[in-house]
Amino acid sequence: MSSHIPMLEIPLKLTYPIDIDKPIYKYIKHHCKDLYDEERDKNAAKNLDELRSKAVQNTIDANKKSTEIVAQYYDQLKLLMPKVPILPNNMHPNSVNIRFTWHNAYDHKKDRTQSQNGHFEILCVLYNLACLKIKIAAQCNQNEDSDLLAALKGLQSAAGYLDFLISAMARVMANENYTND
C-alpha cells in the first residue's frame, strides 16, 4: 500500500502551437551566410519546432519523459538565443519575429500574455518544468526511500527554478504586461 501526503500542485501555463521553424530558418539563411547549410539548417529549425510542439502541448503528462522533453526544449532555447535573437524589433533591429502567447496558469480563459521576447518563452517553459517536477513529486510512493529521495530532488529543482523566475521575470518583462503566475 502506497502512502501519499497531499501536496499542492501548481497548474501548467498553456500556450498555442506556433510556427517557429520558418522565421528561425529565414534568420539563419540571411545572417549566417558563411556557415549556412540549407538542408542542415532547415532540419534543425524543423526539429526545434517539433520539440516545442511536444514540450508545450496542453495534454502533457507529469512523467520523466515529459520532463526531459520540456527540459530539452528549454536547453535548446537557451543555446539558440545568443545566436538567433528572438526579441522585439525595438530591442534588436535584426531580430526574429515570433509572437509567443501564454495563458495565466490559474485562469486560462481570461488572462494571456503575448510577447516577441524569446526570454519570455524561456521563462514560461521553465515555469512549466517546475510544475512538472512538483506533479511528479506529488505522485511518488512516500513509503519507499528511493521514491521519497527522488521526490525531494524534484521539489528542490522546482524550488530553484521558481526562485530564479522571481528575479528573472521582472528583468525580462520590464516593459511588457505579464500575468501574475
Side-chain angles (χ1 to χ4, degrees), residues 26 46 49 69 94 96 116 130:
K26 184 178 173 183
K46 185 175 187 244
D49 188 62
I69 290 169
N94 295 322
V96 177
Q116 291 178 303

Side-chain angles (χ1 to χ4, degrees), residues 2-172:
S2 69
S3 171
H4 292 278
I5 298 171
M7 289 189 191
L8 178 66
E9 292 183 27
I10 301 172
L12 294 168
K13 291 177 79 64
L14 300 180
T15 187
Y16 303 108
I18 57 174
D19 178 25
I20 66 171
D21 60 333
K22 290 180 184 82
I24 291 172
Y25 171 72
K26 184 178 173 183
Y27 178 88
I28 293 169
K29 183 177 179 181
H30 288 90
H31 294 90
C32 306
K33 292 178 179 152
D34 294 343
L35 303 172
Y36 175 70
D37 178 308
E38 182 175 6
E39 184 178 343
R40 180 198 64 206
D41 297 340
K42 267 188 182 177
N43 286 337
K46 185 175 187 244
N47 289 341
L48 182 65
D49 188 62
E50 290 171 358
L51 185 59
R52 183 188 192 275
S53 294
K54 291 176 189 173
V56 301
Q57 64 181 311
N58 294 344
T59 58
I60 197 162
D61 293 324
N63 59 47
K64 186 177 178 181
K65 176 113 174 104
S66 295
T67 304
E68 289 170 355
I69 290 169
V70 173
Q72 184 180 9
Y73 178 57
Y74 171 82
D75 290 342
Q76 291 300 311
L77 283 174
K78 291 287 287 183
L79 292 170
L80 181 70
M81 284 296 292
K83 298 170 187 136
V84 179
I86 304 171
L87 298 166
N89 285 335
N90 65 342
M91 293 177 78
H92 193 285
N94 295 322
S95 63
V96 177
N97 187 3
I98 300 173
R99 184 174 300 278
F100 301 103
T101 302
W102 285 85
H103 286 268
N104 181 319
Y106 299 97
D107 189 353
H108 300 294
K109 294 180 180 167
K110 270 189 169 180
D111 293 333
R112 70 179 178 159
T113 300
Q114 292 185 333
S115 176
Q116 291 178 303
N117 194 329
H119 296 290
F120 175 69
E121 172 86 345
I122 289 170
L123 294 177
C124 290
V125 170
L126 187 62
Y127 174 89
N128 277 0
L129 186 57
C131 293
L132 288 171
K133 294 270 188 181
I134 292 168
K135 287 177 185 282
I136 291 169
Q139 297 168 1
C140 85
N141 178 355
Q142 295 172 355
N143 285 332
E144 296 290 327
D145 288 344
S146 61
D147 285 359
L148 194 53
L149 183 60
L152 291 173
K153 285 180 181 179
L155 290 171
Q156 185 178 20
S157 294
Y161 299 156
L162 294 171
D163 185 53
F164 174 76
L165 286 171
I166 290 169
S167 63
M169 184 59 86
R171 218 175 31 249
V172 168

